[in-house]
């Protein structure tokens, strides 16, 4: 029997037909029809696989969005039956199975069962994911059970699962409500380390904390300035980690930073947090690895060798992005104006590197005699690299900018799938320090250089806090910050005491 015939037979078997029909129910969110198909399959003795069970459990666990209370109750009741039956049938569960079962437990307002399922999962040698921890964590937060929520959080940390903004925001809110002031401090620092800029819902929880009586009452009045300064140096700047400083009511305002990073509310200047050069080297290596997996390896290696011969550059231009700003069609004129502007401000006065796809360099507007002359002059100067057919030029311009540790000119927000592969730890910090954004005006290009301060939650030596939100931050609207400060008193600091 050929492979094709085998596949066809599998597809047309009762199990194959059931799989297809359940997948269709999953697309439509039709739990009632899925349960009918399940009952029919069991009565006919159709063997069910892990996939069949997982689709059914997923649909039952998501039934809350249905809005029909009868359907929700039916789905929850049947979901647990199906989970038990899966065990009776001896079908091995996987991470998706346990996560759906945990969601079912959470929908029944039983976070304890959801947490036990995660523990069971770990004991079965199945590594839990962040989504596995969501049901027990949010379930305990909703019930206001702080101790159990912190236990789930500790289990996550132990499993090497990193909490993201929704989880940290829920823990922060719970800490505020349960008046755990040290935990509030811990969550603020975890948000600083992994989230950096917060969404509106998190900003509201932060505001709630600083406006509370607990926030006004907590803090050291006479702190050790030397110890705080030492904490700042040790942490790399922008925070000290020594606990709440000061006493009394906080002044909490929404504000903006000026171009130099001075807060328009309290007048404090934000700091620029340096990046360890070793981190940049490691990032360049992981970028190479990812690019070689997704591009033709020989093409990318050829580009790295070319860059070694012609680099380093003071700036790299995402040619396609810059040429299409304010344009419906590709403009070499606009691109050249940016090249010349960058050359003027370059310390070495050399041309920036322009990265363009080969099709842009050979076809369309590139065939215009003036543009052809321009392309040739860039090639001759070693300032143009044409990426090969079938390649994604994003890998090329990003690698060049990281490798040369230079400016990167693009208005690309760098948020799509490719950039998500790079992780949330280093890449946002690198981007903040290197990306130049662009506005085209009648008088030519206006370059918006990287800010001279870090856009991250900052804790000052005086005990104040500045929290950047994701509101704003385009070329027209300034980013909104939350500034929380207390009236400074003349402290007699410990090292001044005799």
């Amino acid at each position: 029997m050929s492979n094709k015939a085998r596949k066809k037979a599998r597809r047309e078997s009762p199990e194959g037909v059931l799989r297809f029909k359940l997948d269709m129910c999953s697309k439509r969110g039709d739990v009632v029809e899925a349960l009918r198909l399940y009952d029919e399959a069991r009565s006919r003795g159709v063997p069910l696989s892990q996939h069949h069970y997982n689709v059914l459990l997923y649909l039952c666990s998501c039934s809350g969005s249905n809005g029909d209370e009868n359907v929700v109750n039916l789905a929850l009741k049947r979901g647990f039956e199906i989970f038990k039956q899966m065990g009776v049938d001896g079908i091995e569960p996987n991470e998706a199975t346990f996560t759906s079962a945990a969601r079912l437990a959470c929908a029944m307002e039983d976070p304890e069962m959801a947490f036990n399922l995660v523990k069971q999962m770990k004991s079965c040698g199945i590594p839990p994911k962040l989504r596995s921890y969501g049901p027990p964590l949010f379930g305990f937060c909703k019930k206001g059970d702080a101790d159990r929520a912190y236990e789930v959080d500790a289990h996550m940390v132990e499993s090497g699962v990193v909490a993201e903004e929704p989880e940290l925001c829920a823990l922060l809110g719970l800490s505020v409500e349960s008046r755990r002031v040290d935990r509030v401090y811990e969550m603020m620092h975890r948000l600083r380390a992994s989230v950096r800029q917060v969404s509106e819902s998190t900003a509201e929880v932060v505001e709630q904390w600083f406006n509370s009586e607990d926030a006004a009452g907590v803090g050291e009045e006479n702190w050790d300035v030397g110890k705080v300064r030492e904490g700042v140096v040790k942490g790399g700047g922008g925070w000290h980690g020594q606990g709440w400083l000061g006493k009394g009511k906080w002044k909490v305002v929404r504000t903006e930073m000026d171009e130099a990073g001075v807060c328009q509310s309290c007048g404090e200047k934000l700091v620029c947090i340096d990046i360890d050069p070793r981190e940049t080297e490691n990032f360049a290596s992981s970028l190479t690895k990812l690019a070689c997996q997704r591009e033709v390896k020989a093409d990318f290696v050829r580009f790295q060798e070319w860059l070694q011969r012609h680099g380093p550059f003071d700036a790299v231009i995402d040619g396609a992005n810059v040429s299409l700003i304010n344009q419906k069609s590709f403009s070499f004129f606009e691109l050249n104006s940016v090249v010349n502007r960058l050359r003027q401000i370059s310390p070495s006065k050399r041309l920036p590197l322009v990265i363009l796809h080969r099709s842009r360099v050979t076809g369309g507007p590139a065939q215009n005699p003036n543009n052809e002359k321009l392309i040739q002059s860039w090639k001759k100067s070693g300032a143009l690299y044409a990426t090969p057919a079938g390649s994604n030029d994003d890998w090329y311009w990003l690698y060049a900018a990281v490798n040369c540790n230079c400016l990167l000119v693009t208005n690309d927000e760098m948020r799509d799938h490719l950039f998500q592969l790079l992780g949330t730890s280093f890449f946002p910090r690198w981007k903040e320090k290197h990306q130049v954004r662009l506005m085209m005006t009648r008088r030519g290009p206006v370059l918006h250089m990287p800010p001279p301060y870090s856009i991250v939650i900052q804790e000052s030596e005086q005990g104040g806090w500045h929290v950047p939100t994701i509101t704003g931050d385009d070329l027209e609207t300034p980013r909104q910050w939350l500034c929380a400060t207390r009236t400074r008193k003349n402290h007699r600091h410990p090292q001044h005491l005799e």
Side-chain angles (χ1 to χ4, degrees):
M1 205 178 184
S2 69
N3 270 348
K4 199 175 174 185
R6 258 201 302 272
K7 277 182 187 171
K8 188 174 184 242
R10 246 197 329 266
R11 236 184 0 254
E12 290 173 358
S13 70
E15 304 96 291
V17 171
L18 177 63
R19 182 184 177 119
F20 173 77
K21 286 181 177 176
L22 284 175
D23 287 347
M24 287 297 102
C25 288
S26 182
K27 274 188 179 175
R28 296 193 305 269
D30 190 346
V31 67
V32 175
E33 175 59 11
L35 290 170
R36 191 196 67 74
L37 289 166
Y38 168 71
D39 290 336
E40 184 185 69
R42 289 209 71 79
S43 68
R44 287 171 47 212
V46 176
L48 272 77
S49 68
Q50 186 192 73
H51 180 84
H52 293 127
Y53 275 115
N54 279 349
V55 173
L56 286 156
L57 288 168
Y58 169 75
L59 279 164
C60 289
S61 70
C62 295
S63 62
S65 56
N66 183 284
D68 184 329
E69 207 177 315
N70 293 329
V71 171
V72 173
N73 291 336
L74 172 74
L76 293 180
K77 180 174 170 283
R78 295 300 307 277
F80 282 115
E81 282 174 22
I82 289 166
F83 182 57
K84 280 179 190 158
Q85 189 59 50
M86 190 176 180
V88 171
D89 288 355
I91 303 294
E92 202 73 31
N94 64 4
E95 181 271 329
T97 316
F98 279 112
T99 298
S100 290
R103 284 178 184 152
L104 282 168
C106 198
M108 297 284 279
E109 297 189 357
D110 191 347
E112 199 62 62
M113 187 201 281
F115 192 22
N116 284 333
L117 283 160
V118 176
K119 290 175 183 169
Q120 197 183 324
M121 188 174 170
K122 211 176 172 193
S123 65
C124 290
I126 301 165
K129 291 185 180 177
L130 181 60
R131 67 179 189 175
S132 319
Y133 284 103
L137 183 70
F138 294 123
F140 284 127
C141 286
K142 196 178 170 186
K143 279 183 178 279
D145 191 338
D147 291 329
R148 298 298 281 141
Y150 297 144
E151 216 178 300
V152 176
D153 180 44
H155 200 277
M156 276 170 68
V157 172
E158 191 193 303
S159 302
V161 174
V162 180
E164 291 179 0
E165 187 175 5
E167 293 76 26
L168 292 173
C169 179
L171 287 163
L172 176 67
L174 182 66
S175 303
V176 172
E177 281 162 29
S178 57
R179 310 180 74 176
R180 309 285 183 97
V181 295
D182 291 345
R183 288 287 190 168
V184 173
Y185 189 77
E186 179 199 332
M187 295 311 155
M188 288 290 290
H189 275 296
R190 283 172 67 183
L191 281 166
R192 175 194 59 76
S194 62
V195 177
R196 297 174 64 81
Q197 301 126 37
V198 304
S199 64
E200 185 52 38
S201 55
T202 305
E204 283 169 12
V205 177
V206 173
E207 266 179 317
Q208 184 194 336
W209 158 251
F210 282 115
N211 285 321
S212 70
E213 282 180 26
D214 290 313
V218 68
E220 283 290 322
E221 275 199 279
N222 294 310
W223 65 84
D224 185 332
V225 171
K227 204 173 172 191
V228 167
R229 206 155 283 162
E230 196 184 304
V232 170
V233 172
K234 205 173 166 187
W239 66 287
H240 54 74
Q242 302 300 306
W244 302 111
L245 304 182
K247 267 278 193 295
K249 205 170 180 330
W250 293 81
K251 180 189 175 189
V252 190
V253 291
R254 297 283 181 122
T255 185
E256 293 162 10
M257 299 295 145
D258 71 8
E259 282 183 13
V262 174
C263 174
Q264 300 296 278
S265 172
C266 71
E268 179 139 358
K269 192 177 193 302
L270 295 187
V271 302
C272 181
I273 300 159
D274 288 335
I275 289 175
D276 186 329
R278 282 170 303 181
E279 283 190 284
T280 307
E281 275 175 43
N282 293 341
F283 183 56
S285 304
S286 63
L287 197 55
T288 302
K289 196 175 166 190
L290 279 166
C292 287
Q293 282 168 6
R294 281 159 178 82
E295 294 289 307
V296 175
K297 191 176 177 180
D299 288 342
F300 199 76
V301 169
R302 200 173 295 123
F303 168 63
Q304 288 178 302
E305 290 166 353
W306 182 94
L307 194 59
Q308 223 167 357
R309 288 197 306 275
H310 294 87
F313 294 88
D314 294 326
V316 173
I317 301 176
D318 170 6
N321 182 277
V322 166
S323 310
L324 290 162
I325 287 173
N326 300 344
Q327 299 286 329
K328 282 180 183 169
S329 57
F330 197 89
S331 168
F332 275 99
F333 175 78
E334 299 278 30
L335 181 54
N336 191 37
S337 67
V338 176
V339 168
N340 291 334
R341 181 79 191 91
L342 283 163
R343 186 181 203 170
Q344 284 166 10
I345 63 167
S346 158
S348 64
K349 292 288 178 270
R350 71 170 296 188
L351 287 168
L353 170 61
V354 178
I355 303 275
L356 275 174
H357 199 272
R358 185 172 290 168
S359 59
R360 298 285 191 192
V361 176
T362 53
Q367 292 174 327
N368 171 298
N370 288 338
N371 293 340
E372 216 174 316
K373 205 182 289 178
L374 189 62
I375 290 165
Q376 288 312 315
S377 74
W378 288 342
K379 276 185 179 173
K380 204 174 171 184
S381 307
L384 173 70
Y385 192 86
T387 62
S391 67
N392 181 343
D393 51 5
D394 291 4
W395 291 112
Y396 291 78
W397 50 253
L398 183 57
Y399 175 81
V402 173
N403 184 263
C404 299
N405 200 24
C406 68
L407 297 173
L408 169 63
V409 185
T410 181
N411 279 4
D412 190 323
E413 287 300 335
M414 297 184 249
R415 286 190 186 127
D416 67 17
H417 173 67
L418 179 152
F419 301 105
Q420 283 169 12
L421 295 170
L422 304 172
T424 54
S425 171
F426 179 81
F427 182 54
R429 290 184 285 137
W430 183 88
K431 189 173 89 160
E432 180 186 286
K433 289 198 176 319
H434 293 268
Q435 185 180 5
V436 176
R437 293 184 298 178
L438 190 66
M439 267 178 90
M440 287 298 186
T441 67
R442 285 177 186 173
R443 282 181 287 180
V446 176
L447 302 174
H448 291 262
M449 304 304 279
Y453 57 95
S454 296
I455 303 169
V456 61
I457 296 173
Q458 296 201 16
E459 176 191 38
S460 80
E461 288 182 39
Q462 284 74 41
W465 287 78
H466 289 92
V467 180
T469 72
I470 55 172
T471 310
D473 186 37
D474 55 35
L475 296 176
E476 309 292 328
T477 322
R479 185 188 295 278
Q480 296 296 298
W481 287 72
L482 203 67
C483 165
T485 51
R486 298 203 245 213
T487 309
R488 290 174 201 164
K489 295 175 183 172
N490 292 324
H491 305 292
R492 287 207 307 150
H493 295 178
Q495 68 265 43
H496 297 149
L497 301 176
E498 291 184 9

